[in-house]
Amino acid sequence: MEQAFVALKERLAQVEDLRAAADVLEWDQETYMPPGAGAARAAQIATVRRLAHERFTDEAVGALLEKLAPAVEDRDPLSFEASLVRVARRDYEQATKLSVDLVGALAEAVSLAKEAWKEAKETNAFPVFAPHLQRLVELNVEKAEALGYADRRYDALLDQYEPGLKTAEVERVFQDLAKKLVPIVHAVAAHEPPDDSFLHQPFSEEKQWAFGVSVIQDFGYDFERGRQDRSLHPFSTAFAISDVRITTRIKAEFLNTALFGTLHEAGHALYEQGIDPELERTPLADGTSLAMHESQSRLWEILVGRSRPFWQHYYPRLQATFPTQLSGVSLEAFYRAVNKVQPSLIRVEADGLTYNLHIMLRFDIEQALIEGRVGVNDLPDLWNETMHEYLGLRPATDTEGVLQDIHWSLGAFGYFPTYALGNLISAQLFEKIRADLPDLDQEISRGRFAPLLHWLRTHVHQYGRKLTATEILERTTGEGLTAEPWLAFVREKYGVSMSN
Ligand code: ZN
């Protein structure tokens, strides 16, 4: 047992190193790489990912896992040994279903598609992106067929990001949510929207950057083990528990983009920085699912970062940073402005209430693509129609329509629903945190986040992938996935009575 376990650990560590190397190449592609390097970088990333895949799917790994599986059966399921064997085994089973050729083809297609998407988005030219998207849909259909599924082809893709979750379950939760959310949106929209014109003024980019950095340092983001850079689409990425990076995007004449984008990505990064260091260089050193990951980013961005106690503490500092722009704006007016509800075209700038509708639109469309009910060339019109149906808006360009998100250029089908599920989980966890930490609002209003971060580290972060999202929810809240705490949160926030 001992010798086999050491051999497995060493093999998995090498795989993690190769994956981290590919992640660094991708991070550089999004931040500093010159635009002409796209094709060369695509080949480099494909080679490193192929090596990682080959090293991991080697029969020797399978043999070690077979040998170790019975040996760890009587161990505590949360022990390092039992967790590593269990999670590596699941990954191995998934990975060995995909051929080396398919993995390599996907990596190369993604790298080329990302560059084409950037150009298409910048020049509002969907046809530049369309052939790449077509290729990615075909490869993902191939992937879903190789992974296998019992019911829906989309299940196989969803399962990669949210282990065990089924398309039908997402449909059930989303349909329930839509039914209850639409009346709330209507009730809120019936009132005069707050004035937020003061958020749309010139704000020094350097000061925006510095303010965001000061807040996330207060949150507990560790710059000794991380850094922030700029990119077209903000993201967080972890090369190790000791190297968790974020990116942000700054708009010179709109305060919210960099501010809340930074808090959001820091929420993701706090999760990764909080994983037990014992799990370093193993597949356990990662967020347990995308929905759990997104619950962390939304918790810091919305439940904390758009709350009244938060701005009681930070608004004077923000006013001092931007006296010309904000000196005549009261705390209450500012609070209402950053919580303004208004149907909008861009998901990453959507308010906390209508955000889930943006996700449902993407879920509908990508399912239809993968299951062959629509073609790539139908997308711009289908997008605009569905956008109109859900949010009453019609994009004037594809840049602010179907081209706005990076995800499909990454070949990430099955990813979008996890955003909305993350919202729901964030509210489920926060309800429990409030019960456990009665002074939470007071602490936040003093800029003290240590008790909150400690709770998250203790109940969520430290475990990495040792516990599934469902297990974390059940251990902390005593129940599975439900929309009720999130609905209660938005009803309270927007003053909508329960009788609606
Ligand atoms: Zn996120």
Side-chain angles (χ1 to χ4, degrees), residues 27-270:
W27 168 84
D28 176 69
Q29 184 178 35
E30 297 301 316
T31 50
Y32 296 107
M33 189 189 82
R41 182 56 52 90
Q44 292 158 355
I45 291 169
T47 298
V48 180
R49 291 254 177 248
R50 188 177 285 121
L51 286 173
H53 183 76
E54 283 169 2
R55 193 101 191 112
F56 181 55
T57 55
D58 192 296
E59 280 170 14
V61 174
L64 287 169
L65 287 167
E66 282 317 301
K67 188 172 176 186
L68 286 163
V72 295
E73 242 166 38
D74 53 351
R75 301 272 177 119
D76 173 359
L78 273 180
S79 68
F80 179 63
E81 290 80 6
S83 300
L84 187 65
V85 171
R86 181 179 63 249
V87 169
R89 211 168 169 214
R90 180 189 191 275
D91 290 350
Y92 184 82
E93 280 165 11
Q94 291 264 306
T96 49
K97 289 177 182 166
L98 304 181
S99 71
V100 171
D101 285 348
L102 179 57
V103 173
L106 266 166
E108 189 157 4
V110 162
S111 218
L112 293 171
K114 272 203 291 193
E115 296 306 307
W117 167 74
K118 277 184 203 166
E119 187 193 332
K121 184 175 176 179
E122 275 161 25
T123 58
N124 185 37
F126 183 74
V128 169
F129 181 49
H132 294 276
L133 183 57
Q134 179 63 40
R135 171 85 175 135
L136 285 172
V137 169
E138 286 162 10
L139 289 170
N140 270 276
V141 166
E142 209 180 306
K143 184 179 184 177
E145 294 299 329
L147 291 171
Y149 50 90
D151 185 17
R152 309 268 292 267
R153 188 190 281 157
Y154 188 82
D155 285 346
L157 301 179
L158 181 63
D159 189 72
Q160 305 170 95
Y161 304 110
E162 218 45 44
L165 191 64
K166 297 281 180 276
T167 310
E169 169 81 352
V170 177
E171 277 177 341
R172 186 188 61 75
V173 174
F174 280 5
Q175 278 164 13
D176 178 53
L177 189 60
K179 200 172 68 193
K180 293 168 180 166
L181 179 56
V182 168
I184 297 174
V185 171
H186 285 174
V188 174
H191 294 92
E192 182 72 18
D195 175 23
D196 69 345
S197 56
F198 48 83
L199 297 172
H200 298 268
Q201 303 183 65
F203 292 93
S204 145
E205 296 194 17
E206 292 70 25
K207 287 181 180 175
Q208 289 193 57
W209 177 279
F211 187 83
V213 164
S214 77
V215 175
I216 64 175
Q217 273 176 323
D218 291 351
F219 281 177
Y221 177 75
D222 181 0
F223 276 90
E224 287 295 311
R225 299 186 292 136
R227 55 178 285 127
Q228 181 176 258
D229 295 273
R230 294 174 78 148
S231 67
L232 188 62
H233 183 98
F235 64 96
S236 71
T237 182
F239 310 140
I241 297 166
S242 55
D243 190 351
V244 185
R245 305 188 186 189
I246 58 176
T247 69
T248 197
R249 171 173 53 172
I250 303 177
K251 290 199 172 171
E253 302 200 355
F254 184 43
L255 192 62
N256 290 16
T257 304
L259 174 57
F260 294 110
T262 298
L263 306 193
H264 181 97
E265 298 308 331
H268 282 299
L270 285 168

Side-chain angles (χ1 to χ4, degrees), residues 233-236 264-265 267-268 290 293-298 301 347 355 407 415 419:
H233 183 98
F235 64 96
S236 71
H264 181 97
E265 298 308 331
H268 282 299
L290 282 193
H293 231 301
E294 193 64 8
S295 79
Q296 299 307 294
S297 60
R298 299 300 272 182
E301 177 203 347
R347 175 183 62 84
Y355 187 89
H407 304 62
Y415 190 118
Y419 285 123

Side-chain angles (χ1 to χ4, degrees), residues 186-385:
H186 285 174
V188 174
H191 294 92
E192 182 72 18
D195 175 23
D196 69 345
S197 56
F198 48 83
L199 297 172
H200 298 268
Q201 303 183 65
F203 292 93
S204 145
E205 296 194 17
E206 292 70 25
K207 287 181 180 175
Q208 289 193 57
W209 177 279
F211 187 83
V213 164
S214 77
V215 175
I216 64 175
Q217 273 176 323
D218 291 351
F219 281 177
Y221 177 75
D222 181 0
F223 276 90
E224 287 295 311
R225 299 186 292 136
R227 55 178 285 127
Q228 181 176 258
D229 295 273
R230 294 174 78 148
S231 67
L232 188 62
H233 183 98
F235 64 96
S236 71
T237 182
F239 310 140
I241 297 166
S242 55
D243 190 351
V244 185
R245 305 188 186 189
I246 58 176
T247 69
T248 197
R249 171 173 53 172
I250 303 177
K251 290 199 172 171
E253 302 200 355
F254 184 43
L255 192 62
N256 290 16
T257 304
L259 174 57
F260 294 110
T262 298
L263 306 193
H264 181 97
E265 298 308 331
H268 282 299
L270 285 168
Y271 187 4
E272 301 268 349
Q273 286 190 334
I275 294 170
D276 180 352
E278 192 197 3
L279 310 184
E280 188 84 288
R281 285 182 90 214
T282 78
L284 298 173
D286 200 352
T288 194
S289 79
L290 282 193
M292 187 55 75
H293 231 301
E294 193 64 8
S295 79
Q296 299 307 294
S297 60
R298 299 300 272 182
L299 189 148
W300 290 99
E301 177 203 347
I302 295 185
L303 296 166
V304 173
R306 294 187 197 245
S307 72
R308 212 177 243 108
F310 177 86
W311 285 109
Q312 280 165 1
H313 180 73
Y314 284 103
Y315 191 55
R317 195 193 290 185
L318 188 71
Q319 268 185 322
T321 307
F322 300 111
T324 324
Q325 295 92 331
L326 298 175
S327 61
V329 179
S330 71
L331 167 63
E332 188 58 24
F334 183 83
Y335 169 77
R336 287 168 55 83
V338 296
N339 285 291
K340 178 179 175 178
V341 170
Q342 187 170 48
S344 66
L345 293 170
I346 308 296
R347 175 183 62 84
V348 294
E349 287 163 11
D351 60 75
L353 194 61
T354 59
Y355 187 89
N356 286 340
L357 295 171
H358 288 263
I359 298 309
M360 292 179 203
L361 159 100
R362 287 155 177 77
F363 174 67
D364 289 353
I365 290 179
E366 66 176 20
Q367 256 194 86
L369 262 183
I370 293 299
E371 294 180 350
R373 297 192 301 275
V374 300
V376 161
N377 292 324
D378 304 327
L379 288 203
D381 287 344
L382 179 61
W383 181 285
N384 295 349
E385 282 307 312

